[in-house]
Amino acid sequence: MLPTQIELIRASLPTLREQAIPITQAMYRRMFAANPEVARMFNPAHMHPDGQQGALAGAIVAYAEHLDELEVLHDALAVIVHKHVAVQVQPIQYDVVGGHLLAAIAEVLGDAATPELMDTWAAAYGELADVCIAAERGVYEQQRVAPGGWTGLREFEVVERRALTPMITSLRVSPVDRQRLPTFAPGQHVSVALPGADSLALRQYSITQAPGGDSWRFVIKAEPARDQHEPGVVSNRLTQALELGAKLNLTMPCGCFTLDPTAGDHAIVLLAGGVGVTPLFSMAAASVAAKPARPLLFVHAALDRSSRPLEADLRELANVAPGFRYVRIHEQPAATERLGVDYDHVGLLDHARLTSLLPADPVERAEIECWTCGPDGFMVSVDAALERLAVPRARRHFEFFGPARPLTES
């Protein structure tokens, strides 16, 4: 982009920050009305200002702030690219989104949306689209040529189904074609499509095991109705209505929230909130397989025992790995639960609790590496506590179940 164009967009930043949410709301309204086929890529439960609308608004503002230094946004763009690949975004869809985004900017800004500003935003969007399309093409190609890999969707069947809690189910699936499965990075997820339900969005579920084998396991929570949202259609079908032999369509594994179990010998800290345990278990299992003596602290915070699946699996890791430490925290233990048997601490995983669990030596704390996954509020609180404890930002990793956004928000 020309320097004059960059300055024009920067001059519009105050208005953009103020109107970013109304712009994204107008864009999605326009796009879903004119192009309903695109709606399948979005989870309806996330379509609100604190979800997808807010995530896109934040991304637009961040892009405008760093037009001439996109390297600052490298990690954020990598996450966006993998999220796009997970829902099978194709280049032609960038034209659809771009058209509705520009129309929404014009609608919301009104007279302030001068022809010069709109031309500049069209150029800025075009440049960003080119960057994303090239990166996504690279990921699709890597998936295609990987041993056991594929593009698009591949048919699997359910070969095992176990209820872990009243609301959480473990499903194991195997490819119908009986051909090999590709490897994946611990922490990655796949997108799942229900055959015959083309109107439903693809849903992402973490592969809850160490890489390897001829089948994959997912641990899925049936999402109940909450606030103004209906119960999760896909999660309830997967957990309540799916029988052995049922067919599912899966994408290749995606995601940047990963752990290399062979890298380094420093201590690993995995902090899970509720069903956020699923990608972290994959990391823990892979780490134990690679380096069982490596120090690994696994903390699982939940409302009570019914919100904490994988108890037996995590205990098995603790039994076979001398470096593995497993800590359970219940916010509201049930009356039948016993301290020291069903859980180790009462309350929240807050600054005080983390202080007691992490090394007291600041030098040792600066060398640990943390991965955090769970509800938004949990991750905001935990990341703030890690910041206070001087765990370096570069050694703190987190994953949202839904649209990604900065942990400093909410």
Side-chain angles (χ1 to χ4, degrees):
M1 293 184 66
L2 297 174
T4 53
Q5 292 178 310
I6 292 174
E7 288 305 313
L8 180 59
I9 285 185
R10 282 183 173 162
S12 69
L13 267 172
T15 301
L16 181 64
R17 291 191 185 99
E18 181 181 333
Q19 298 296 333
I21 292 290
I23 287 172
T24 58
Q25 289 175 324
M27 188 209 78
Y28 285 120
R29 171 175 49 78
R30 286 173 168 271
M31 185 167 67
F32 291 168
N35 299 90
E37 73 281 0
V38 178
R40 184 171 183 254
M41 296 181 173
F42 299 90
N43 188 332
H46 297 155
M47 298 308 299
H48 54 80
D50 292 328
Q52 181 63 38
Q53 295 167 355
L56 177 59
I60 292 171
V61 171
Y63 178 53
E65 292 172 336
H66 300 286
L67 279 171
D68 56 349
E69 48 179 3
L70 282 186
E71 63 276 4
V72 174
L73 302 178
H74 177 271
D75 290 349
L77 284 174
V79 171
I80 290 171
V81 165
H82 273 260
K83 285 185 176 292
H84 284 182
V85 171
V87 295
Q88 303 291 284
V89 168
Q90 300 300 318
I92 193 172
Q93 287 154 346
Y94 277 89
D95 294 335
V96 173
V97 173
H100 291 300
L101 175 60
L102 294 173
I105 292 173
E107 173 188 326
V108 174
L109 297 190
D111 293 341
T114 63
E116 184 182 15
L117 179 62
M118 295 307 301
D119 288 345
T120 300
W121 263 112
Y125 177 83
E127 287 196 6
L128 180 60
D130 288 344
V131 169
C132 291
I133 288 170
E136 288 157 19
R137 184 180 295 118
V139 175
Y140 285 129
E141 180 62 14
Q142 290 173 5
Q143 294 180 338
R144 185 186 69 81
V145 302
W150 69 91
T151 57
L153 299 173
R154 182 176 176 183
E155 190 175 39
F156 284 67
E157 65 178 344
V158 178
V159 296
E160 179 185 274
R161 182 181 186 278
R162 286 192 299 125
L164 302 181
T165 76
M167 296 293 290
I168 301 174
T169 299
S170 170
L171 293 179
R172 183 168 292 279
V173 300
S174 182
V176 170
D177 59 21
R178 299 294 183 261
Q179 300 300 306
R180 69 177 292 179
L181 287 174
T183 190
F184 61 91
Q188 286 193 312
H189 56 264
V190 301
S191 293
V192 177
L194 291 171
D198 293 341
S199 63
L200 297 176
L202 294 167
R203 297 294 193 269
Q204 289 71 52
Y205 296 103
S206 300
I207 307 174
T208 312
Q209 66 183 61
D214 58 2
S215 63
W216 286 338
R217 179 175 69 156
F218 310 105
V219 173
I220 302 170
K221 178 183 178 183
E223 292 297 334
R226 62 183 64 186
D227 300 327
Q228 298 179 354
H229 301 296
E230 297 292 325
V233 176
V234 175
S235 66
N236 277 276
R237 286 195 192 181
L238 290 174
T239 56
Q240 309 297 327
L242 225 56
E243 301 296 338
L244 292 180
K247 303 298 191 293
L248 297 171
N249 294 321
L250 272 59
T251 65
M252 276 281 286
C254 295
C256 301
F257 183 65
T258 60
L259 177 151
D260 180 353
T262 65
D265 292 308
H266 55 276
I268 290 174
V269 177
L270 305 177
L271 306 172
V275 78
V277 69
T278 54
L280 300 184
F281 177 80
S282 174
M283 297 179 185
S287 181
V288 166
K291 298 184 177 183
R294 181 181 197 165
L296 192 158
L297 171 64
F298 197 111
V299 182
H300 194 179
L303 185 66
D304 55 24
R305 180 66 184 83
S306 68
S307 303
R308 197 170 48 76
L310 303 177
E311 166 85 5
D313 303 84
L314 287 163
R315 281 192 172 280
E316 182 177 346
L317 293 182
N319 289 337
V320 300
F324 193 95
R325 183 184 176 197
Y326 177 36
V327 177
R328 306 157 300 169
I329 302 173
H330 287 183
E331 183 179 352
Q332 298 177 15
T336 56
E337 295 175 358
R338 296 167 293 169
L339 180 64
V341 176
D342 300 298
Y343 60 97
D344 304 301
H345 302 283
V346 178
L348 302 174
L349 181 57
D350 53 17
H351 177 264
R353 184 62 62 199
L354 277 170
T355 301
S356 71
L357 294 172
L358 297 184
D361 183 353
V363 176
E364 288 187 55
R365 281 205 307 271
E367 293 177 350
I368 67 175
E369 193 161 11
C370 300
W371 284 260
T372 306
C373 188
D376 294 0
F378 169 83
M379 293 198 297
V380 170
S381 173
V382 167
D383 196 66
L386 293 173
E387 176 74 22
R388 289 178 61 188
L389 289 167
V391 177
R393 180 67 193 89
R395 303 181 75 81
R396 307 195 315 260
H397 315 281
F398 56 91
E399 172 84 327
F400 283 95
F401 280 171
R405 48 204 173 278
L407 281 181
T408 52
E409 294 182 0
S410 97

